[in-house]
Amino acid sequence: MKNYHVSLLALAIGVLSVFGCTPTEEPTPLQDGLGEGEYIPLKELFKDHFPIGAAVTPNHMDSRTPHGRALIEHFNSLVAENVMKPDALQRVKGTYTWTNADRIVQFAKENNMMVRGHTLTWHSQTPDWFFYDENGDLHTPEVAMKQLEEHITAVVSRYKGDVYAWDVVNEAMFDWDPNGQIIYREDSPWYKIMGPAYIDSAFVYARRADPDAKLFYNDYNSIFSWKRNKIFDLVKRLKDNNIPIDGVGLQGHWTVGVSEQDLRTTLDLFRSLGVEIQITELDLSVYLSNDEPGSTIYTDAFNMRQRIAYPMLMKVLLDYSDIITGVTFWGIGDDASWLDTPGRKHFPFLLDEQLQPKPAYFEVQKLIRR
Ligand code: XIL
């Protein structure tokens, strides 16, 4: 039996030799000089262009765990997926809980990583006391503004010098409105209390607390015309009024169907404003629509879609790397994503469920000529 195998092998080698490929030959190197299956860590791949970040939870902050190791290998920037939000830092008025956020900052320092702060002002994941008094009535603008100032001052001051960029205001624009009639998210309690004034104030408070931190407005669906024009107008108004804003965060909750034209048009538009751009919450779902049936298996079709969509996207980002100052994934690998629901996994990252590079990763790698 053994001999039979050996002779089959010999036959195979013979056939391969006839066709000019002997087993002693090295596998065909990629254009970047790497052998088959070899990869360059993400942060190395993009080091001349922008930092590569990941959204993390405190239990990832351990170099002995697979997630900790993957973070150290691939990423040079971190953002807290949840633990720097208002409900995590100041659930009870006047009582701050820093432990979890501190762990992330500490891990980043130990491993030479940058930290983005997310987020100071949002309608979601913000305790009711920010908005309502003990009778359940909305606060006056004065009270709400004072509380916002105290929160931003405390949080930004604590991480002064450690957090290099803040999402100062998150998701303040109305989302779906093709006619452009409704500008702001009017059902946000912040808006109900004082209209858009809270946006301006939040940036002023943040700048005062850390003059060196980069200050961002962050939103989703921001590559679609109906939304990006509103964001453009907002940022223009802020700049015209000397409100300190440095950049726009495009969250990047996209799918494999993301349009190259939408991306480029959006980046051109914001370039004209003279602000930095960061992709702040990147995940590229494998589904083309919400109607597509869910799967918990990474099918060949999903693989194929990501092998095309990911290099397209990263090529666009490279083309605009003069204005893009950071690209952060909203997670680490496909084992865990906030998008996943039972029976429907989104497999949105470049690292698979074992935190290993996916075929799409190897396609992205080919973009960088070394
Ligand atoms: C999400 C987190 O990923 C979830 O764990 C949490 O339950 C809800 O918030 N836009 C944002 C992020 O700005 O803060 C959100 O994060 C995803 C959408």
Side-chain angles (χ1 to χ4, degrees), residues 145-363:
M145 202 79 116
K146 180 119 204 319
Q147 295 183 160
L148 180 64
E149 179 176 10
E150 280 170 7
H151 181 79
I152 291 180
T153 305
V155 173
V156 175
S157 303
R158 180 169 185 94
Y159 297 115
K160 189 172 186 298
D162 292 333
V163 168
Y164 84 101
W166 278 102
D167 290 332
V168 178
V169 177
N170 202 33
E171 303 180 351
M173 310 315 280
F174 187 62
D175 189 42
W176 172 247
D177 175 32
N179 300 323
Q181 300 292 309
I182 305 171
I183 308 297
Y184 295 100
R185 183 190 288 270
E186 295 179 359
D187 62 358
S188 160
W190 287 118
Y191 189 90
K192 285 189 194 158
I193 293 171
M194 64 184 106
Y198 75 93
I199 301 175
D200 305 42
S201 298
F203 280 95
V204 172
Y205 302 147
R207 175 67 95 232
R208 216 180 276 155
D210 184 355
D212 297 326
K214 298 277 188 185
L215 306 183
F216 283 79
Y217 174 76
N218 190 50
D219 214 329
Y220 65 98
N221 279 348
S222 35
I223 61 169
F224 301 119
S225 56
W226 80 80
K227 189 110 166 233
R228 70 173 172 240
N229 293 335
K230 292 177 194 177
I231 299 173
F232 178 91
D233 291 345
L234 168 72
V235 175
K236 181 154 188 342
R237 179 177 74 69
L238 294 176
K239 285 178 72 83
D240 288 349
N241 291 320
N242 288 321
I243 301 295
I245 177 169
D246 300 295
V248 174
L250 313 178
Q251 289 188 359
H253 298 297
W254 296 316
T255 76
V256 287
V258 63
S259 141
E260 177 167 0
Q261 197 51 58
D262 284 343
L263 288 164
R264 290 187 185 274
T265 307
T266 303
L267 291 163
D268 285 337
L269 182 71
F270 289 123
R271 162 177 278 141
S272 73
L273 272 176
V275 287
E276 293 181 20
I277 299 294
Q278 296 200 352
I279 312 302
T280 53
E281 306 183 15
L282 180 56
D283 43 26
L284 216 61
S285 166
V286 292
Y287 299 103
L288 288 165
S289 84
N290 292 335
D291 304 329
E292 218 183 322
S295 166
T296 54
I297 292 165
Y298 191 62
T299 64
D300 289 348
F302 293 164
N303 181 23
M304 196 58 79
R305 290 171 183 183
Q306 286 193 320
R307 285 181 58 191
I308 295 168
Y310 251 119
M312 179 280 286
L313 168 65
M314 299 314 285
K315 170 77 167 70
V316 172
L317 301 185
L318 286 171
D319 285 349
Y320 287 83
S321 59
D322 58 322
I323 53 166
I324 294 179
T325 57
V327 175
T328 293
F329 290 84
W330 203 242
I332 304 170
D334 286 345
D335 58 309
S337 159
W338 76 298
L339 299 170
D340 293 345
T341 51
R344 192 176 175 85
K345 279 186 65 68
H346 287 258
F347 305 99
F349 301 118
L350 286 171
L351 301 179
D352 67 15
E353 290 167 283
Q354 279 73 47
L355 312 180
Q356 296 305 309
K358 290 156 70 172
Y361 186 120
F362 290 94
E363 298 301 326

Side-chain angles (χ1 to χ4, degrees), residues 61-97:
M61 304 293 93
D62 181 343
S63 60
R64 294 163 302 181
T65 65
H67 291 93
R69 279 197 297 274
L71 287 169
I72 293 168
E73 181 178 11
H74 288 285
F75 299 91
N76 47 14
S77 178
L78 300 181
V79 63
E81 183 172 1
N82 286 299
V83 304
M84 285 199 190
K85 292 173 179 173
D87 64 349
L89 292 181
Q90 198 185 178
R91 176 170 289 282
V92 176
K93 182 171 160 55
T95 305
Y96 290 86
T97 312

